[in-house]
Amino acid sequence: MDKSPILTVVQPAAVDRLRAGPQGKRPRPAISGRNVMLYGALGLAALYYLLPLYVMVVTSLKGMPEIRLGNIFSPPMEITFEPWVKAWAEACTGLNCDGLSRGFWNSVKIMVPSVILSIAIASVNGYALANWRFKGADLFFTILIVGAFIPYQVMIYPLVIVLRELGIYGTLSGLILVHSIFGMPILTLLFRNYFVSLPEELFKAARIDGAGFWQIYFRIMLPMSLPIFVVAMILQVTGIWNDFLFGVVFTRPENYPMTVQLNNIVNSVQGVKEYNVNMAATLLSGAVPLIVYFVSGRLFVRGIAAGAVKG
Amino acid sequence: MTVFSTKPPGTSPSAVTSSTARPKTRARRPNRLFRNLSAKIASIPMVLTAVVIFLGGTVWTVVYSFTNSKLLPRLTFVGFDQYERLWATPRWLVSIQNLATYGILSLIFSLVIGFLLAALMDQKIRFEDTFRTIFLYPFALSFIVTGLVWQWILNPEFGVQSVVRSLGWTSFTFDPLYNEDIVIYGILIAALWQGTGLVMCLMLAGLRGIDEDIWKAARVDGIPMWRTYLFIIIPMMRPVFVTTLVIIASGIVRIYDLVVAQTSGGPGIASDVPAKYVYDYMFFAQNLGQGFAASTMMLLAVAIVIVPWAYLEFGGRKRG
């Protein structure tokens, strides 16, 4: 209350308040029983969630002799990066021994076009549904949303047939198409809800000025909806990168994405199990979504919340 | 918006379909089919996906589940034979049992843990963002990564079991991944680690949506905090709980990657799940009919969850 001299001049009422003694809630002590319980519980939970990441990092930095002797929670005595090199460049899947790098580049080749294609399709769909509703549009949209709940197992075989007919079964482009199809429900919903929330007057004004479907999309809607595009991108990058089922069903071994290759490396029955290499490989596969997650922060939360709560 | 009530001649009446204002004088009505033509063309991918893949694919699978397709799909109908065989297969029964155990426990634990964490996070704590980041990061990881990490942690030779034994408790046994009876709990631990962060986030959003005055009123009335949560806040969060439930439930039926990575369905067939059964029969056993029948059962399981929810949520109102 160092400003009280000024207050005495300006506001006599404030003086009365000051004379009446301290007011309001008593400040909580920093260490109270409640806080110890609260932060204790949160800390314990945080420990449980962090433990696997810690174990992964620690194991991947140890040599095999140390792993056989010590326990998995102890920090490495001698830090070695050899497991990482081996996981990236030498680990074997079947006959190929060029490590996870092959899967990584496959995943990149799958992810980039899939993300672009699925977002392009879904944003236009969402825009059409929000602003250009035609008869029957809502029916198709409902089918799409209900379809999001159908187990993939029900639809994969018909999709295999469709892709075979198109002549792209087993290729990267086939998988890209599959990702675009199954990303459509959630992304369309996301974009539709966003475009609906934009003021309608904007759209009307553009119509009066004579802009058409694509003109309004590219010159008004697109520049206004960058945040939602970022959210959609986060959603798709992590989703497609982490996919396993579609990768294993719709591609041939030379095109396997990283997750499939990782599983094949770690769960292969031949040879001696090299746990440190396995954990390095696991970390490498998890690196991309983890980086996306840590960089995007709140947007990631917003993405899953938007996708989940409104679904 | 009086400015827009008089339409300039340039805009055709049909163009502004989304607006409620309809012009009173309608000159020449353009062909219905070509109205909104660009929008219709732009929606072709969505329409194709919805009709051909989602609707058509589902119907196709259901229809072919009544045939005796083996290596290739054939239209020789055999009635309910595939289903009878399915329910007589021990492996399918094991996978259904696993799904039930895993599903019920995962629902209960995700909701309880998720809600407790959210309630703790809602106490105006410091470092909220840090805690949120920690609880949610596993959700960014794939089930494959999750499965492999927990396979390593639960490894009886090197993992938790050996660590506890080296501390002196030599008879300690905790080897869920190598014990047929408890293998599904090993998978549950990993799944909870991966998914509870999401539930926490959804619950926290729900808690934040509750009016501060409710809390004040409860305090004035002297209701203890746990009772406020149990009898006031949770009933108020019913919609959040329902959506979370639907999200968790539809994820449960799909569980596949996690099992493949963590146990490959083993030991033996002890941790098999329906999704894995379907995949194996379709792409390895070359018994398509069985795969279709099993996947139709999965569809039925989802429908049992989704239909009542959709009815409750959207049944009363016309639009969803």
Side-chain angles (χ1 to χ4, degrees):
Chain A
M1 286 288 122
D2 47 42
K3 283 182 183 165
S4 50
I6 304 165
L7 288 176
T8 32
V9 182
V10 190
Q11 290 174 311
V15 188
D16 296 340
R17 276 228 310 270
L18 277 177
R19 283 204 192 112
Q23 299 242 326
K25 249 188 274 175
R26 177 193 293 236
R28 284 204 188 113
I31 301 174
S32 62
R34 174 185 172 277
N35 273 1
V36 170
M37 288 271 286
L38 182 61
Y39 287 100
L42 280 171
L44 268 181
L47 212 65
Y48 167 73
Y49 282 92
L50 283 175
L51 192 75
L53 188 63
Y54 168 78
V55 169
M56 267 195 280
V57 173
V58 168
T59 307
S60 73
L61 295 174
K62 288 178 190 168
M64 265 321 277
E66 201 186 325
I67 288 178
R68 284 198 201 92
L69 290 173
N71 80 45
I72 58 168
F73 301 115
S74 60
M77 284 179 278
E78 253 179 276
I79 291 180
T80 163
F81 289 99
E82 209 185 322
W84 286 76
V85 176
K86 201 165 177 194
W88 177 254
E90 292 160 33
C92 295
T93 41
L95 295 174
N96 296 315
C97 281
D98 46 8
L100 261 184
S101 51
R102 170 202 291 268
F104 176 84
W105 291 115
N106 280 340
S107 273
V108 170
K109 276 187 264 176
I110 293 162
M111 182 190 73
V112 173
S114 307
V115 170
I116 295 171
L117 186 66
S118 61
I119 291 180
I121 294 175
S123 63
V124 173
N125 277 342
Y127 162 65
L129 284 167
N131 293 319
W132 298 82
R133 253 190 261 145
F134 54 88
K135 214 177 172 193
D138 279 341
L139 175 70
F140 296 124
F141 183 58
T142 310
I143 297 175
L144 202 68
I145 298 302
V146 171
F149 288 103
I150 300 174
Y152 296 138
Q153 279 75 14
V154 177
M155 293 177 281
I156 42 179
Y157 203 85
L159 207 52
V160 167
I161 296 177
V162 169
L163 291 187
R164 205 182 277 147
E165 292 297 313
L166 293 174
I168 49 174
Y169 176 61
T171 63
L172 287 181
S173 30
L175 186 57
I176 290 163
L177 190 66
V178 171
H179 278 305
S180 306
I181 286 172
F182 286 108
M184 211 182 281
I186 183 72
L187 290 183
T188 306
L189 183 74
L190 196 70
F191 280 107
R192 189 196 80 127
N193 288 351
Y194 185 81
F195 290 133
V196 164
S197 73
L198 293 178
E200 210 188 354
E201 282 73 28
L202 267 169
F203 175 77
K204 285 184 186 168
R207 284 296 297 155
I208 287 162
D209 290 345
F213 183 88
W214 294 109
Q215 234 177 337
I216 297 180
Y217 174 74
F218 281 111
R219 300 181 62 172
I220 295 176
M221 295 301 177
L222 207 60
M224 281 187 64
S225 43
L226 274 179
I228 206 72
F229 273 90
V230 175
V231 167
M233 246 173 74
I234 294 167
L235 210 66
Q236 282 299 85
V237 168
T238 46
I240 292 170
W241 192 271
N242 287 341
D243 158 71
F244 175 81
L245 179 66
F246 298 145
V248 90
V249 172
F250 294 103
T251 52
R252 296 196 193 91
E254 71 266 22
N255 289 333
Y256 274 164
M258 204 170 186
T259 44
V260 181
Q261 210 195 357
L262 170 71
N263 186 52
N264 290 348
I265 289 176
V266 176
N267 283 330
S268 78
V269 277
Q270 313 124 328
V272 188
K273 288 242 178 198
E274 290 181 293
Y275 297 108
N276 50 358
V277 176
N278 289 351
M279 282 302 114
T282 310
L283 267 176
L284 280 171
S285 306
V288 169
L290 271 188
I291 290 168
V292 169
Y293 172 68
F294 285 122
V295 169
S296 62
R298 278 187 171 271
L299 276 174
F300 184 90
V301 178
R302 195 177 149 195
I304 57 166
V309 174
K310 287 170 188 163
Chain B
M1 285 287 128
T2 44
V3 186
F4 297 118
S5 57
T6 50
K7 287 214 166 11
T11 44
S12 77
S14 63
V16 192
T17 43
S18 61
S19 72
T20 44
R22 289 254 162 174
K24 288 189 185 81
T25 51
R26 199 169 291 189
R28 177 172 49 85
R29 203 179 172 137
N31 191 333
R32 285 183 64 102
L33 195 66
F34 295 112
R35 242 205 270 178
N36 272 350
L37 190 63
S38 317
K40 281 176 185 166
I41 291 172
S43 298
I44 287 175
M46 178 185 81
V47 173
L48 278 182
T49 302
V51 175
V52 178
I53 308 294
F54 287 2
L55 198 62
T58 306
V59 171
W60 191 93
T61 300
V62 174
V63 168
Y64 274 83
S65 73
F66 293 103
T67 67
N68 64 351
S69 310
K70 284 278 181 202
L71 179 59
L72 291 169
R74 272 184 312 170
L75 266 180
T76 321
F77 288 98
V78 290
F80 282 91
D81 273 14
Q82 296 287 5
Y83 291 93
E84 275 166 29
R85 206 173 305 152
L86 184 70
W87 285 100
T89 312
R91 193 180 154 190
W92 173 254
L93 296 177
V94 168
S95 64
I96 286 289
Q97 219 168 27
N98 278 338
L99 188 69
T101 318
Y102 168 81
I104 292 167
L105 291 177
S106 142
L107 263 183
I108 295 171
F109 280 108
S110 328
L111 286 177
V112 170
I113 296 173
F115 185 80
L116 282 179
L117 284 179
L120 289 175
M121 297 273 289
D122 200 33
Q123 305 301 315
K124 304 199 174 64
I125 55 160
R126 280 183 206 200
F127 313 116
E128 190 193 313
D129 277 352
T130 315
F131 279 118
R132 190 210 300 268
T133 307
I134 292 172
F135 295 148
L136 193 58
Y137 88 90
F139 187 70
L141 293 170
S142 61
F143 276 125
I144 299 294
V145 169
T146 308
L148 295 177
V149 178
W150 282 96
Q151 185 191 58
W152 172 231
I153 294 178
L154 297 176
N155 186 319
E157 250 180 284
F158 304 101
V160 176
Q161 177 177 302
S162 91
V163 171
V164 174
R165 278 185 186 175
S166 70
L167 292 175
W169 183 2
T170 44
S171 62
F172 178 79
T173 27
F174 186 64
D175 55 346
L177 302 190
Y178 293 85
N179 184 337
E180 284 186 18
D181 299 326
I182 54 170
V183 63
I184 201 70
Y185 303 103
I187 291 167
L188 183 70
I189 292 174
L192 288 177
W193 175 76
Q194 205 258 1
T196 36
L198 171 74
V199 181
M200 183 275 290
C201 261
L202 297 175
M203 295 285 170
L204 191 57
L207 282 174
R208 293 277 152 84
I210 280 173
D211 199 335
E212 194 75 9
D213 292 344
I214 304 278
W215 278 107
K216 285 180 189 156
R219 261 180 97 175
V220 168
D221 287 349
I223 305 171
M225 197 196 229
W226 65 271
R227 289 192 60 147
T228 314
Y229 268 119
L230 213 57
F231 296 112
I232 301 171
I233 303 296
I234 290 180
M236 282 182 77
M237 280 171 61
R238 200 196 70 99
V240 179
F241 270 93
V242 172
T243 25
T244 313
L245 209 78
V246 170
I247 291 163
I248 304 174
S250 65
I252 287 169
V253 180
R254 279 179 193 178
I255 181 173
Y256 171 71
D257 327 17
L258 185 61
V259 176
V260 169
Q262 212 178 347
T263 65
S264 318
I269 54 162
S271 60
D272 213 335
V273 285
K276 192 169 181 304
Y277 184 95
V278 171
Y279 179 81
D280 288 353
Y281 271 86
M282 274 188 196
F283 295 98
F284 286 116
Q286 290 166 344
N287 193 341
L288 285 175
Q290 271 294 291
F292 295 147
S295 58
T296 307
M297 294 313 300
M298 287 177 70
L299 181 66
L300 200 67
V302 172
I304 289 170
V305 176
I306 298 296
V307 170
W309 167 72
Y311 186 76
L312 281 176
E313 288 290 298
F314 307 114
R317 285 168 285 145
K318 197 81 192 98
R319 283 253 310 113

